[in-house]
Amino acid sequence: MNAAISRFPIPDSLDELPQDLRERILAVQEKAGFVPNVFLMLAHRPEEFRAFFAYHDALMTRESASLTPAEREMIVVAISARHGCLYCVVAHGALLRIYAKDPLLADQLAINPRSAPLTERQRSMLDFALHVGLERGGLDDDWQARLLADGFDLDDIWDIGAIAAFFGLSNRLVTLAGTPPNEEFYLMGRVPR
């Protein structure tokens, strides 16, 4: 495996990893056709790998009546762009393109969420995510009233803030490790598979 994936040790082979990590990585590889570099970057600390992906999955795959998978990825792209995390902008931009079925939206969000073609509801969601993720802001009465009026419930509001906070952590870990995005991510959702 390529050591340029991280400034920290990565496994020479998946066979070196605990079985649960190996199985998770192989399942992702089967579905995506490649192993995302973040999996290898985190694999040198199995307990942290497990905790990271458990929380990631709890936030990003949780069923919601109103917060869609595309909207969750919008939050990730907007936060990651502001943190200058190329890996997360590229990787989650690919997921956003796929979920939204829009090859341009991720790039527009990464450059300027205010000029991206969003609904007012989505603008409110991203404004709050950036408030939490960049301004260290909290949920006050005004934000709560605005978000509730835009159709989010308290569980959705928690998810918006938690996704913004979690990807602050993710952005910093990827940047710390110097982990580049996989080349495969760049074309996902842009060209037919």
Side-chain angles (χ1 to χ4, degrees):
M1 294 188 191
N2 184 347
I5 290 171
S6 178
R7 292 183 170 274
F8 298 89
I10 63 169
D12 289 325
S13 163
L14 295 182
D15 294 334
E16 295 176 14
L17 298 175
Q19 182 176 345
D20 62 319
L21 272 65
R22 186 172 54 251
E23 288 173 359
R24 171 135 190 176
I25 291 171
L26 289 172
V28 168
Q29 181 181 30
E30 183 175 322
K31 183 175 181 180
F34 62 97
V35 177
N37 289 340
V38 72
F39 284 80
L40 299 173
M41 180 269 286
L42 289 169
H44 80 285
R45 291 199 169 180
E47 289 301 316
E48 292 176 37
F49 178 106
R50 290 179 189 106
F52 180 93
F53 285 110
Y55 197 43
H56 171 278
D57 293 351
L59 290 172
M60 299 304 287
T61 64
R62 187 175 99 63
E63 289 295 320
S64 170
S66 64
L67 200 60
T68 68
E71 289 170 333
R72 291 172 190 277
E73 296 298 340
M74 287 178 191
I75 296 167
V76 177
V77 170
I79 287 291
S80 299
R82 294 311 159 278
H83 287 158
C85 182
L86 180 64
Y87 184 95
C88 290
V89 169
V90 172
H92 289 275
L95 294 172
L96 175 55
R97 289 190 295 273
I98 291 165
Y99 289 140
K101 296 177 178 41
D102 183 336
L104 306 178
L105 181 58
D107 297 326
Q108 294 165 329
L109 276 177
I111 296 300
N112 183 0
R114 298 301 310 159
S115 66
L118 303 173
T119 66
E120 284 307 311
R121 178 182 176 279
Q122 291 166 338
R123 285 191 198 291
S124 181
M125 173 190 74
L126 291 180
D127 287 347
F128 182 65
L130 293 168
H131 169 71
V132 171
L134 300 179
E135 299 170 22
R136 298 173 291 180
L139 179 64
D140 61 19
D141 291 343
D142 291 339
W143 272 114
Q144 185 168 338
R146 178 179 171 186
L147 292 163
L148 291 173
D150 285 330
F152 297 105
D153 63 22
L154 287 176
D155 281 337
D156 296 327
I157 295 169
W158 176 273
D159 285 347
I160 295 165
I163 291 166
F166 177 80
F167 278 91
L169 164 73
S170 178
N171 298 159
R172 284 165 176 82
L173 286 174
V174 168
T175 301
L176 168 72
T179 303
N182 300 68
E183 288 184 18
E184 293 90 342
F185 282 128
Y186 286 97
L187 296 180
M188 289 174 63
R190 295 186 200 276
V191 295
R193 200 167 179 194

